[in-house]
Amino acid sequence: DPHCYWRGRLTIIHNPKDGDKQPDDLATIDHLRSRLMGRVNNDWENTVLSCRYCNGIRANIENKMMAGCNVSELEKSWKSYCLKRFKKI
């Protein structure tokens, strides 16, 4: 399925040239269990297809939480959505 696991958005494969900005809908591999949740390996069972946008937001939120920084309400709601989605697996 070529759609983002988190938002259902169609992802694309992009072959950037030097200096090209990566599009938000770029296909990436996202880990379901991250460092914050105690991820210990890179098993394929622990990964999903994600757009660059969602993968980036999740990484930023988790990095802030790991650093003990304050996380905005928007980020908290996104994290809550992601965790609910994860529990459905």
Side-chain angles (χ1 to χ4, degrees):
D1 181 11
H3 293 84
C4 173
Y5 176 80
W6 303 110
R7 293 191 302 162
R9 180 180 185 166
L10 183 64
T11 60
I12 62 167
I13 302 221
H14 178 67
N15 293 320
K17 296 178 182 165
D18 288 338
D20 276 1
K21 182 180 184 288
Q22 294 180 339
D24 284 343
D25 56 352
L26 177 70
T28 65
I29 295 174
D30 198 1
H31 292 90
L32 293 172
R33 286 206 173 266
S34 67
R35 295 171 299 201
L36 186 62
M37 294 183 196
R39 175 174 57 90
V40 292
N41 58 34
N42 287 324
D43 288 341
W44 286 111
E45 295 157 357
N46 184 42
T47 60
V48 292
L49 181 69
S50 173
C51 68
R52 179 181 156 274
Y53 176 82
C54 289
N55 200 341
I57 286 179
R58 290 185 71 236
N60 288 338
I61 293 169
E62 290 169 0
N63 287 336
K64 285 181 182 179
M65 291 174 81
M66 288 178 70
C69 296
N70 223 353
V71 180
S72 73
E73 289 305 311
L74 174 65
E75 291 173 326
K76 285 180 184 176
S77 66
W78 179 261
K79 183 67 177 177
S80 174
Y81 169 77
C82 291
L83 288 173
K84 284 179 191 172
R85 175 74 191 231
F86 174 73
K87 289 178 183 176
K88 291 181 182 178
I89 296 174

